[in-house]
Coordinates of all heavy atoms in Angstrom, one line a residue:
M1 N 0.8 -1.2 0.0 CA 0.0 0.0 0.0 C 0.9 1.2 0.0 O 1.9 1.3 0.7 CB -0.9 0.0 1.2 CG -1.9 1.1 1.3 SD -3.0 0.9 2.7 CE -3.6 2.5 2.8
V2 N 0.5 2.2 -0.8 CA 1.2 3.5 -0.9 C 0.8 4.4 0.3 O -0.3 4.6 0.6 CB 0.9 4.2 -2.2 CG1 1.6 5.5 -2.3 CG2 1.3 3.2 -3.4
K3 N 1.8 5.0 0.9 CA 1.6 5.9 2.0 C 1.1 7.2 1.5 O 1.6 7.7 0.4 CB 2.9 6.1 2.9 CG 3.3 4.9 3.7 CD 3.1 5.2 5.1 CE 3.6 4.1 5.9 NZ 3.3 4.3 7.3
A4 N 0.2 7.9 2.2 CA -0.2 9.2 1.8 C 0.9 10.2 2.0 O 1.8 10.1 2.9 CB -1.4 9.6 2.7
T5 N 0.9 11.2 1.1 CA 1.9 12.2 1.2 C 1.6 13.2 2.3 O 0.5 13.6 2.5 CB 2.0 13.0 -0.2 OG1 2.1 12.0 -1.2 CG2 3.1 13.9 -0.2
K6 N 2.6 13.5 3.0 CA 2.4 14.5 4.2 C 2.2 15.9 3.6 O 2.8 16.2 2.6 CB 3.6 14.4 5.1 CG 3.7 13.0 5.8 CD 4.7 13.0 6.8 CE 4.8 11.7 7.5 NZ 5.6 11.6 8.7
P7 N 1.4 16.7 4.3 CA 1.2 18.1 3.9 C 2.5 18.9 3.7 O 2.7 19.7 2.8 CB 0.3 18.7 4.9 CG -0.4 17.5 5.5 CD 0.5 16.3 5.4
A8 N 3.4 18.6 4.6 CA 4.7 19.4 4.6 C 5.5 19.1 3.3 O 6.1 19.9 2.7 CB 5.6 19.1 5.8
D9 N 5.4 17.8 2.9 CA 6.0 17.4 1.6 C 5.4 18.1 0.4 O 6.0 18.5 -0.6 CB 6.0 15.9 1.4 CG 6.8 15.2 2.5 OD1 7.8 15.8 3.1 OD2 6.6 14.0 2.7
L10 N 4.0 18.2 0.5 CA 3.3 18.8 -0.6 C 3.5 20.3 -0.7 O 3.6 20.8 -1.8 CB 1.8 18.5 -0.5 CG 1.3 17.1 -0.6 CD1 -0.1 16.9 -0.3 CD2 1.6 16.6 -2.0
R11 N 3.7 20.9 0.4 CA 3.9 22.4 0.4 C 5.3 22.7 -0.2 O 5.5 23.8 -0.7 CB 3.9 22.9 1.9 CG 2.5 23.0 2.4 CD 2.4 23.7 3.7 NE 1.0 23.7 4.2 CZ 0.5 22.8 5.0 NH1 1.3 21.9 5.5 NH2 -0.8 22.8 5.4
A12 N 6.2 21.8 -0.1 CA 7.6 22.0 -0.7 C 7.6 21.8 -2.2 O 8.5 22.3 -2.9 CB 8.5 21.0 -0.1
K13 N 6.5 21.3 -2.8 CA 6.5 21.1 -4.2 C 6.0 22.3 -5.0 O 5.3 23.2 -4.4 CB 5.6 19.9 -4.6 CG 6.1 18.6 -4.0 CD 5.2 17.5 -4.5 CE 5.8 16.1 -4.1 NZ 5.4 15.0 -4.8
T14 N 6.4 22.4 -6.2 CA 6.0 23.5 -7.1 C 4.6 23.3 -7.6 O 4.1 22.1 -7.5 CB 6.9 23.6 -8.3 OG1 6.7 22.4 -9.1 CG2 8.4 23.7 -8.0
P15 N 3.9 24.3 -8.0 CA 2.5 24.1 -8.5 C 2.4 23.1 -9.7 O 1.5 22.4 -9.8 CB 2.2 25.5 -9.0 CG 3.0 26.5 -8.2 CD 4.3 25.7 -7.9
D16 N 3.5 23.1 -10.5 CA 3.4 22.1 -11.6 C 3.5 20.7 -11.1 O 2.9 19.8 -11.6 CB 4.6 22.4 -12.6 CG 4.4 23.7 -13.3 OD1 3.3 24.1 -13.5 OD2 5.4 24.3 -13.7
E17 N 4.3 20.5 -10.1 CA 4.5 19.1 -9.5 C 3.2 18.7 -8.8 O 2.7 17.6 -8.9 CB 5.6 19.1 -8.5 CG 7.0 19.2 -9.1 CD 8.1 19.3 -8.1 OE1 7.8 19.9 -6.9 OE2 9.2 18.9 -8.4
L18 N 2.5 19.7 -8.2 CA 1.2 19.4 -7.5 C 0.2 19.0 -8.6 O -0.6 18.1 -8.4 CB 0.7 20.6 -6.7 CG 1.5 20.9 -5.4 CD1 0.9 22.1 -4.8 CD2 1.3 19.7 -4.4
E19 N 0.2 19.8 -9.7 CA -0.8 19.5 -10.8 C -0.5 18.1 -11.4 O -1.5 17.4 -11.6 CB -0.7 20.6 -11.8 CG -1.7 20.4 -12.9 CD -3.1 20.7 -12.5 OE1 -3.3 21.4 -11.5 OE2 -4.0 20.0 -13.1
A20 N 0.7 17.7 -11.6 CA 1.0 16.4 -12.1 C 0.6 15.3 -11.2 O 0.0 14.3 -11.6 CB 2.5 16.3 -12.4
R21 N 0.8 15.5 -9.9 CA 0.4 14.5 -8.9 C -1.1 14.4 -8.8 O -1.7 13.3 -8.7 CB 1.0 14.9 -7.5 CG 0.6 13.9 -6.4 CD 1.3 12.6 -6.5 NE 1.0 11.8 -5.4 CZ 0.7 10.5 -5.5 NH1 0.9 9.9 -6.6 NH2 0.4 9.8 -4.4
L22 N -1.8 15.5 -9.0 CA -3.3 15.5 -9.0 C -3.8 14.8 -10.2 O -4.8 14.0 -10.0 CB -3.8 17.0 -9.0 CG -5.3 17.2 -8.9 CD1 -5.8 16.7 -7.5 CD2 -5.6 18.7 -9.0
V23 N -3.2 15.0 -11.3 CA -3.7 14.2 -12.5 C -3.5 12.7 -12.3 O -4.3 11.9 -12.7 CB -2.9 14.8 -13.8 CG1 -3.1 13.9 -15.0 CG2 -3.4 16.2 -14.1
E24 N -2.3 12.4 -11.8 CA -2.0 11.0 -11.5 C -3.0 10.3 -10.6 O -3.5 9.2 -10.8 CB -0.6 10.9 -10.9 CG -0.1 9.5 -10.6 CD 1.3 9.6 -9.9 OE1 2.1 10.4 -10.3 OE2 1.5 8.8 -9.0
L25 N -3.4 11.1 -9.5 CA -4.3 10.5 -8.5 C -5.7 10.4 -9.1 O -6.4 9.5 -8.8 CB -4.3 11.4 -7.3 CG -3.1 11.2 -6.4 CD1 -3.1 12.3 -5.3 CD2 -3.1 9.9 -5.7
K26 N -6.1 11.4 -9.9 CA -7.4 11.4 -10.5 C -7.5 10.2 -11.5 O -8.6 9.5 -11.6 CB -7.7 12.7 -11.3 CG -8.1 13.8 -10.3 CD -8.7 14.9 -11.0 CE -9.1 16.0 -10.0 NZ -10.5 16.3 -10.2
R27 N -6.4 9.9 -12.2 CA -6.4 8.7 -13.1 C -6.5 7.4 -12.3 O -7.3 6.5 -12.6 CB -5.1 8.7 -13.9 CG -5.1 7.6 -15.0 CD -3.9 7.8 -15.9 NE -4.1 9.0 -16.7 CZ -3.2 10.0 -16.8 NH1 -2.1 9.9 -16.3 NH2 -3.5 11.0 -17.6
E28 N -5.8 7.4 -11.1 CA -5.9 6.2 -10.3 C -7.3 6.1 -9.7 O -7.9 5.0 -9.6 CB -4.9 6.3 -9.1 CG -4.9 5.1 -8.2 CD -3.9 5.2 -7.1 OE1 -3.1 6.1 -7.1 OE2 -3.9 4.3 -6.2
Q29 N -7.9 7.2 -9.3 CA -9.3 7.2 -8.8 C -10.3 6.6 -9.9 O -11.2 5.8 -9.5 CB -9.7 8.6 -8.4 CG -11.1 8.6 -7.7 CD -11.4 10.0 -7.3 OE1 -11.2 11.0 -8.1 NE2 -12.0 10.2 -6.2
L30 N -10.1 7.0 -11.1 CA -10.9 6.5 -12.2 C -10.8 5.0 -12.3 O -11.8 4.3 -12.4 CB -10.6 7.2 -13.5 CG -11.4 6.8 -14.7 CD1 -12.9 7.2 -14.6 CD2 -10.8 7.4 -16.0
N31 N -9.5 4.6 -12.3 CA -9.3 3.1 -12.4 C -9.9 2.3 -11.3 O -10.5 1.3 -11.5 CB -7.8 2.8 -12.5 CG -7.2 3.3 -13.8 OD1 -7.9 3.4 -14.9 ND2 -5.9 3.6 -13.8
L32 N -9.8 2.9 -10.1 CA -10.4 2.2 -8.9 C -11.9 2.2 -9.0 O -12.6 1.2 -8.6 CB -10.0 2.9 -7.6 CG -8.5 2.7 -7.2 CD1 -8.2 3.7 -6.1 CD2 -8.3 1.3 -6.8
R33 N -12.5 3.2 -9.6 CA -14.0 3.2 -9.8 C -14.4 2.2 -10.8 O -15.4 1.5 -10.6 CB -14.4 4.6 -10.2 CG -14.9 5.5 -9.1 CD -15.7 6.7 -9.7 NE -14.9 7.9 -9.4 CZ -14.7 8.9 -10.2 NH1 -15.2 8.9 -11.4 NH2 -14.0 9.9 -9.8
F34 N -13.6 2.0 -11.8 CA -13.9 1.0 -12.8 C -13.8 -0.4 -12.2 O -14.6 -1.3 -12.4 CB -13.1 1.1 -14.1 CG -13.6 2.1 -15.1 CD1 -12.9 3.2 -15.3 CD2 -14.8 1.8 -15.7 CE1 -13.4 4.1 -16.3 CE2 -15.3 2.7 -16.7 CZ -14.6 3.9 -16.9
Q35 N -12.8 -0.6 -11.4 CA -12.6 -1.9 -10.7 C -13.7 -2.2 -9.8 O -14.2 -3.3 -9.7 CB -11.2 -1.9 -9.9 CG -10.0 -2.0 -10.8 CD -8.7 -1.9 -10.0 OE1 -8.8 -1.9 -8.8 NE2 -7.6 -1.8 -10.7
Q36 N -14.2 -1.2 -9.1 CA -15.3 -1.4 -8.2 C -16.6 -1.7 -8.9 O -17.3 -2.6 -8.5 CB -15.5 -0.1 -7.3 CG -16.6 -0.3 -6.3 CD -16.9 1.0 -5.5 OE1 -16.7 2.1 -6.0 NE2 -17.3 0.8 -4.3
A37 N -16.8 -1.1 -10.0 CA -18.0 -1.3 -10.8 C -18.0 -2.7 -11.4 O -19.1 -3.3 -11.6 CB -18.1 -0.3 -12.0
T38 N -16.8 -3.3 -11.7 CA -16.8 -4.6 -12.3 C -16.5 -5.7 -11.3 O -16.4 -6.9 -11.6 CB -15.6 -4.7 -13.4 OG1 -14.4 -4.3 -12.8 CG2 -15.9 -3.8 -14.5
G39 N -16.4 -5.3 -10.0 CA -16.2 -6.2 -8.9 C -14.8 -6.8 -8.8 O -14.6 -7.8 -8.2
Q40 N -13.9 -6.0 -9.3 CA -12.5 -6.5 -9.2 C -11.7 -5.8 -8.1 O -10.5 -6.0 -8.0 CB -11.8 -6.3 -10.5 CG -12.4 -7.0 -11.7 CD -11.8 -6.6 -13.0 OE1 -10.9 -5.7 -13.1 NE2 -12.2 -7.3 -14.1
T41 N -12.3 -4.9 -7.3 CA -11.6 -4.1 -6.3 C -11.0 -5.0 -5.2 O -11.7 -5.8 -4.6 CB -12.5 -3.1 -5.7 OG1 -13.1 -2.3 -6.7 CG2 -11.8 -2.2 -4.8
E42 N -9.7 -4.9 -5.0 CA -9.0 -5.6 -4.0 C -8.7 -4.7 -2.8 O -8.8 -5.1 -1.6 CB -7.7 -6.2 -4.5 CG -7.9 -7.2 -5.5 CD -6.6 -7.7 -6.1 OE1 -5.5 -7.4 -5.5 OE2 -6.6 -8.5 -7.1
A43 N -8.4 -3.4 -3.1 CA -8.1 -2.5 -2.0 C -9.1 -1.4 -1.9 O -9.0 -0.3 -2.4 CB -6.7 -1.8 -2.3
Q44 N -10.2 -1.7 -1.1 CA -11.3 -0.8 -0.9 C -10.8 0.5 -0.2 O -11.3 1.6 -0.5 CB -12.3 -1.5 -0.1 CG -13.8 -1.4 -0.3 CD -14.3 -1.3 -1.7 OE1 -13.8 -1.7 -2.7 NE2 -15.4 -0.6 -1.7
S45 N -9.9 0.3 0.7 CA -9.4 1.5 1.5 C -8.6 2.4 0.6 O -8.5 3.6 1.0 CB -8.6 1.0 2.7 OG -7.5 0.3 2.2
R46 N -8.1 1.9 -0.5 CA -7.3 2.8 -1.3 C -8.1 3.9 -2.0 O -7.6 5.0 -2.2 CB -6.6 2.0 -2.4 CG -5.7 2.7 -3.3 CD -4.5 3.3 -2.6 NE -3.7 4.2 -3.5 CZ -3.1 5.3 -3.1 NH1 -3.0 5.6 -1.8 NH2 -2.4 6.0 -4.0
M47 N -9.4 3.6 -2.2 CA -10.3 4.6 -2.8 C -10.4 5.8 -1.8 O -10.3 7.0 -2.3 CB -11.6 4.0 -3.1 CG -11.7 3.1 -4.2 SD -13.3 2.4 -4.6 CE -14.0 3.9 -5.2
R48 N -10.5 5.5 -0.6 CA -10.6 6.6 0.4 C -9.3 7.4 0.5 O -9.3 8.6 0.6 CB -11.0 6.0 1.8 CG -11.2 7.0 2.9 CD -11.6 6.3 4.1 NE -11.8 7.3 5.2 CZ -12.0 7.0 6.5 NH1 -12.0 5.7 6.8 NH2 -12.2 7.9 7.3
A49 N -8.2 6.7 0.5 CA -6.9 7.3 0.6 C -6.7 8.2 -0.6 O -6.2 9.3 -0.4 CB -5.8 6.3 0.7
V50 N -7.0 7.8 -1.8 CA -6.8 8.6 -3.0 C -7.7 9.8 -2.9 O -7.2 10.9 -3.2 CB -7.1 7.8 -4.2 CG1 -7.2 8.6 -5.5 CG2 -6.1 6.7 -4.4
R51 N -8.9 9.7 -2.5 CA -9.9 10.8 -2.4 C -9.3 11.8 -1.4 O -9.4 13.0 -1.7 CB -11.2 10.3 -2.0 CG -12.3 11.3 -2.1 CD -13.7 10.8 -1.8 NE -13.8 10.2 -0.5 CZ -14.1 9.0 -0.2 NH1 -14.2 8.1 -1.1 NH2 -14.2 8.6 1.1
R52 N -8.8 11.4 -0.3 CA -8.3 12.3 0.7 C -7.0 13.0 0.2 O -6.8 14.2 0.5 CB -8.1 11.6 2.0 CG -9.4 11.3 2.7 CD -9.2 10.6 4.0 NE -10.5 10.3 4.6 CZ -10.7 10.4 5.9 NH1 -9.7 10.6 6.7 NH2 -11.9 10.1 6.3
E53 N -6.2 12.3 -0.5 CA -5.0 12.9 -1.0 C -5.3 13.9 -2.0 O -4.6 15.0 -2.1 CB -4.0 11.8 -1.5 CG -2.6 12.4 -1.7 CD -1.5 11.4 -1.8 OE1 -1.8 10.2 -1.6 OE2 -0.4 11.8 -2.2
I54 N -6.3 13.7 -2.9 CA -6.7 14.7 -3.9 C -7.2 15.9 -3.1 O -6.8 17.1 -3.5 CB -7.8 14.1 -4.8 CG1 -7.2 13.1 -5.7 CG2 -8.5 15.2 -5.5 CD1 -8.3 12.3 -6.5
A55 N -7.9 15.8 -2.1 CA -8.4 16.9 -1.3 C -7.3 17.7 -0.7 O -7.2 18.9 -0.7 CB -9.4 16.5 -0.3
R56 N -6.3 16.9 -0.2 CA -5.1 17.5 0.5 C -4.3 18.4 -0.6 O -3.9 19.5 -0.3 CB -4.2 16.4 1.0 CG -3.2 16.8 2.0 CD -2.5 15.6 2.6 NE -3.4 14.9 3.5 CZ -3.7 13.6 3.4 NH1 -3.1 12.9 2.4 NH2 -4.5 13.0 4.2
I57 N -4.1 17.9 -1.8 CA -3.4 18.6 -2.8 C -4.2 19.8 -3.2 O -3.6 20.9 -3.3 CB -3.1 17.7 -4.0 CG1 -2.1 16.6 -3.6 CG2 -2.7 18.5 -5.2 CD1 -1.8 15.6 -4.7
K58 N -5.5 19.7 -3.4 CA -6.3 20.9 -3.8 C -6.2 22.0 -2.7 O -6.1 23.2 -3.0 CB -7.7 20.5 -4.1 CG -7.9 19.8 -5.4 CD -9.4 19.5 -5.6 CE -9.6 18.9 -7.0 NZ -11.0 18.7 -7.2
T59 N -6.3 21.6 -1.4 CA -6.2 22.5 -0.3 C -4.9 23.3 -0.3 O -4.9 24.5 -0.2 CB -6.4 21.8 1.0 OG1 -7.7 21.2 1.0 CG2 -6.4 22.8 2.2
I60 N -3.8 22.5 -0.5 CA -2.5 23.2 -0.4 C -2.3 24.1 -1.7 O -1.7 25.2 -1.6 CB -1.4 22.1 -0.3 CG1 -1.5 21.5 1.1 CG2 0.0 22.7 -0.6 CD1 -0.6 20.4 1.4
A61 N -2.8 23.7 -2.8 CA -2.7 24.5 -4.0 C -3.5 25.9 -3.8 O -2.9 26.9 -4.2 CB -3.3 23.8 -5.2
V62 N -4.6 25.8 -3.2 CA -5.4 27.0 -2.9 C -4.6 27.9 -1.9 O -4.5 29.1 -2.0 CB -6.8 26.7 -2.4 CG1 -7.5 27.9 -1.8 CG2 -7.6 26.1 -3.5
Q63 N -4.1 27.3 -0.9 CA -3.3 28.0 0.1 C -2.1 28.7 -0.5 O -1.8 29.9 -0.2 CB -2.8 27.1 1.3 CG -3.9 26.6 2.2 CD -3.4 25.6 3.2 OE1 -2.3 25.0 3.1 NE2 -4.2 25.3 4.2
N64 N -1.4 28.0 -1.4 CA -0.3 28.6 -2.1 C -0.7 29.7 -3.0 O 0.0 30.7 -3.0 CB 0.4 27.5 -2.9 CG 1.2 26.5 -2.1 OD1 1.4 26.7 -0.9 ND2 1.6 25.4 -2.7
A65 N -1.8 29.6 -3.6 CA -2.3 30.7 -4.5 C -2.7 31.9 -3.7 O -2.4 33.0 -4.1 CB -3.5 30.2 -5.3
K66 N -3.3 31.7 -2.5 CA -3.7 32.8 -1.7 C -2.4 33.5 -1.1 O -2.4 34.7 -1.0 CB -4.6 32.4 -0.5 CG -6.0 32.1 -0.9 CD -6.8 31.7 0.3 CE -8.2 31.5 -0.2 NZ -9.1 31.1 1.0
T67 N -1.4 32.7 -0.7 CA -0.2 33.3 -0.2 C 0.5 34.1 -1.3 O 1.0 35.2 -1.0 CB 0.8 32.1 0.3 OG1 0.1 31.4 1.2 CG2 2.0 32.7 0.8
A68 N 0.6 33.6 -2.5 CA 1.2 34.3 -3.6 C 0.4 35.6 -3.9 O 1.0 36.6 -4.2 CB 1.3 33.4 -4.9
A69 N -0.9 35.5 -3.9 CA -1.7 36.7 -4.2 C -1.5 37.7 -3.1 O -1.4 39.0 -3.3 CB -3.2 36.3 -4.3
G70 N -1.4 37.3 -1.8 CA -1.2 38.2 -0.7 C 0.2 38.9 -0.8 O 0.4 40.0 -0.5
A71 N 1.2 38.1 -1.3 CA 2.5 38.7 -1.4 C 2.6 39.7 -2.5 O 3.2 40.7 -2.4 CB 3.5 37.6 -1.7
K72 N 1.8 39.5 -3.6 CA 1.8 40.4 -4.7 C 1.1 41.7 -4.2 O 1.5 42.8 -4.6 CB 1.1 39.9 -5.9 CG 1.8 38.8 -6.6 CD 1.1 38.3 -7.8 CE 1.8 37.2 -8.5 NZ 1.0 36.6 -9.6
T73 N 0.0 41.6 -3.5 CA -0.7 42.7 -3.0 C 0.1 43.6 -2.0 O 0.1 44.8 -2.1 CB -2.0 42.3 -2.3 OG1 -2.8 41.5 -3.2 CG2 -2.9 43.5 -1.9
S74 N 0.8 42.9 -1.1 CA 1.6 43.7 -0.2 C 2.8 44.3 -0.9 O 3.2 45.4 -0.5 CB 2.1 42.7 1.0 OG 2.9 41.7 0.5
A75 N 3.3 43.7 -1.9 CA 4.5 44.3 -2.6 C 4.0 45.5 -3.4 O 4.7 46.5 -3.6 CB 5.1 43.3 -3.5
A76 N 2.8 45.4 -3.9 CA 2.2 46.6 -4.7 C 1.9 47.7 -3.8 O 2.0 48.9 -4.2 CB 1.0 46.1 -5.4
N77 N 1.5 47.5 -2.5 CA 1.2 48.5 -1.6 C 2.4 49.2 -1.0 O 2.3 50.3 -0.5 CB 0.3 48.0 -0.5 CG -1.1 47.6 -1.0 OD1 -1.5 48.1 -2.0 ND2 -1.8 46.7 -0.3
A78 N 3.5 48.5 -1.0 CA 4.8 49.0 -0.4 C 5.4 50.1 -1.2 O 5.2 50.5 -2.2 CB 5.7 47.9 -0.2

């Protein structure tokens, strides 16, 4: 079983790396859904882990965007 990525590790990644990981996880989620629909799912808990990791990546991406926007705003006001 693949361990979930820790938030600190995700924060250290660039936006492009986060986007690539997100695409990879969404593809895995799709494959898991197909496996479940056909009755071939072996790792039921992996679906939950993938869904949570997708949410974790999206949350950190939004946080990074807000931080960058705040930095631009404060630099413009200075």
Side-chain angles (χ1 to χ4, degrees):
M1 184 174 164
V2 177
K3 289 246 182 187
T5 309
K6 294 186 179 189
D9 296 337
L10 292 174
R11 285 187 184 96
K13 293 188 177 200
T14 65
D16 292 334
E17 291 173 332
L18 287 176
E19 184 66 29
R21 180 71 177 141
L22 185 62
V23 168
E24 178 183 321
L25 286 170
K26 285 192 174 233
R27 187 170 293 129
E28 182 178 354
Q29 185 181 38
L30 179 69
N31 289 334
L32 287 169
R33 267 195 244 137
F34 276 114
Q35 287 178 6
Q36 183 182 30
T38 59
Q40 298 174 357
T41 305
E42 295 176 10
Q44 222 30 34
S45 61
R46 183 65 186 145
M47 290 182 69
R48 181 179 183 188
V50 168
R51 189 173 63 242
R52 286 181 179 215
E53 192 162 349
I54 288 171
R56 197 173 290 124
I57 289 173
K58 285 183 174 183
T59 300
I60 289 172
V62 168
Q63 288 174 348
N64 290 345
K66 284 184 179 180
T67 303
K72 287 180 183 176
T73 303
S74 64
N77 291 336

